[in-house]
Amino acid sequence: MPDTALLVVDMQIALLLGAHDTEACLDRVAELAGRARAAGVPVVYLRQRVDHPDVPAEALEIHPTVAPQPGDTVLAKDSADSFLGTELDAVLRRQGVRRVVVTGLATEYCVDSTCRSALSHGYDLLLVADGHTTPTRPADSPLPAAAQVIVHHNALFATIIYAGRTVRVLPAAEVDFA
């Protein structure tokens, strides 16, 4: 039984609109999911619940490029932390998972919160360096550009220390599910 699971966080059609490098990120996550399934590694999708009348239900579906396959798990969530108020921890423990490989949207919100929570829940972490994205910002925004946010979070998780946990940051091509 594999001790690893691939987490795909909030890769929903409406949420990805205007995200940085969306198509390339989607392609990498789809390729990772295929490799995970081939290796017998569970693929778990987290979907942010959005209660907004202007967002049609079909736009909240997981993007077709990375759509769940039979046997994958899909969990709804109400916060940035994929563990908070969900069955994620129970699902992972039932499957003997000790390490999570994290991908998704948005780098500084749901991906970051899920990574930190995974570590706090006792899981080792592999953040896929080129498997997460965040919304682009206007040139005159006081916030860092999306590419800077991604680089910052990759660097942060490459150096963060959690007692008793292994934390790695690798590009999708180097993720080994064996």
Side-chain angles (χ1 to χ4, degrees), residues 2 53 108 115 128 135-136:
E108 70 277 38
C115 287
V128 181
T136 56

Side-chain angles (χ1 to χ4, degrees), residues 71-158:
D72 293 345
T73 301
V74 180
L75 301 172
K77 65 186 191 65
D78 294 307
S79 69
D81 177 352
S82 295
F83 287 85
L84 183 63
T86 73
E87 293 294 314
L88 180 56
D89 188 45
V91 166
L92 297 175
R93 292 203 188 279
R94 274 195 304 271
Q95 297 182 12
V97 171
R98 294 181 26 230
R99 175 181 78 146
V100 293
V101 177
V102 178
T103 65
L105 176 88
T107 298
E108 70 277 38
Y109 299 111
C110 299
V111 171
D112 179 89
S113 295
T114 297
C115 287
R116 291 173 190 270
S117 191
L119 290 164
S120 293
H121 278 83
Y123 297 95
D124 291 332
L125 171 69
L126 193 162
L127 175 61
V128 181
D130 53 358
H132 59 97
T133 188
T134 198
T136 56
R137 286 146 177 114
D140 62 350
S141 173
L143 299 173
Q148 291 173 309
V149 170
I150 293 165
V151 167
H152 168 82
H153 277 74
N154 287 341
L156 183 148
F157 280 100

